């Protein structure tokens, strides 16, 4: 009985499943760079072009979405560890000038640059906390 449970739960939490789960639920990988003047977000999108990707900002959230289509040709047995299919990543933004956002695509890397704002985003209200 112990061996049965060991076989069933063997992959949970081990390194054998981690890369598969990580790639499926957090793709594309992103990198954020934040300094006094600029927020820069880069996303690795190998094998894709700017036509395959859509970048939007709405309600203080940057959304990167697209679809990577399979490159498989022919029939027969097939194994892949590459990711294909639709994806979407959402990144909350704070204190940036959304209307001045710029995006570029070079060598499979999407880069979105957002200048910092001197004033907080409109529509945000700070609520005071009172002691009782």
């Amino acid at each position: 009985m112990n061996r049965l449970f060991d076989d069933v739960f063997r992959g949970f939490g081990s390194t054998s499943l981690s890369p598969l789960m990580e790639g499926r639920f957090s793709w594309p990988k992103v990198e954020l760079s934040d300094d006094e003047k600029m927020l820069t977000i880069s996303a690795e999108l190998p094998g894709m072009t700017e036509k395959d990707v859509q970048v939007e900002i709405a309600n203080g959230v940057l959304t990167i979405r697209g679809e990577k289509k399979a490159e498989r040709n022919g029939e027969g047995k097939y194994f892949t560890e590459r990711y294909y299919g639709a994806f979407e990543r959402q990144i909350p933004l704070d204190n940036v000038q959304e209307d001045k956002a710029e995006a570029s695509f070079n060598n499979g890397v999407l880069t979105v640059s957002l200048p910092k704002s001197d004033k907080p985003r409109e529509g945000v209200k700070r609520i005071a906390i009172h002691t009782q």
Side-chain angles (χ1 to χ4, degrees), residues 15-92:
T15 56
S16 63
L17 273 184
S18 296
L20 294 176
M21 298 299 282
E22 184 178 297
R24 181 168 185 178
F25 295 109
S26 64
W27 195 84
K29 298 293 185 194
V30 296
E31 180 176 270
L32 279 76
S33 174
D34 189 0
D35 63 30
E36 292 178 12
K37 296 182 180 186
M38 187 79 61
L39 172 65
T40 305
I41 301 163
S42 300
E44 291 184 340
L45 300 165
M48 299 181 73
T49 68
E50 67 278 0
K51 295 174 186 172
D52 302 320
V53 182
Q54 190 176 25
V55 180
E56 298 175 346
I57 297 176
N59 300 320
V61 177
L62 173 73
T63 302
I64 302 170
R65 74 170 58 93
E67 183 174 2
K68 184 173 180 185
K69 301 194 185 304
E71 301 170 1
R72 183 172 181 232
N73 295 328
E75 296 181 19
K77 294 182 180 181
Y78 184 72
F79 172 78
T80 185
E81 290 183 342
R82 297 172 68 186
Y83 177 83
Y84 297 103
F87 63 87
E88 181 175 293
R89 291 293 303 265
Q90 293 187 325
I91 301 164

Side-chain angles (χ1 to χ4, degrees), residues 1-20:
M1 189 61 105
N2 287 341
R3 189 172 48 138
L4 175 63
F5 279 106
D6 288 344
D7 289 345
V8 169
F9 294 106
R10 178 164 288 144
F12 294 103
S14 73
T15 56
S16 63
L17 273 184
S18 296
L20 294 176

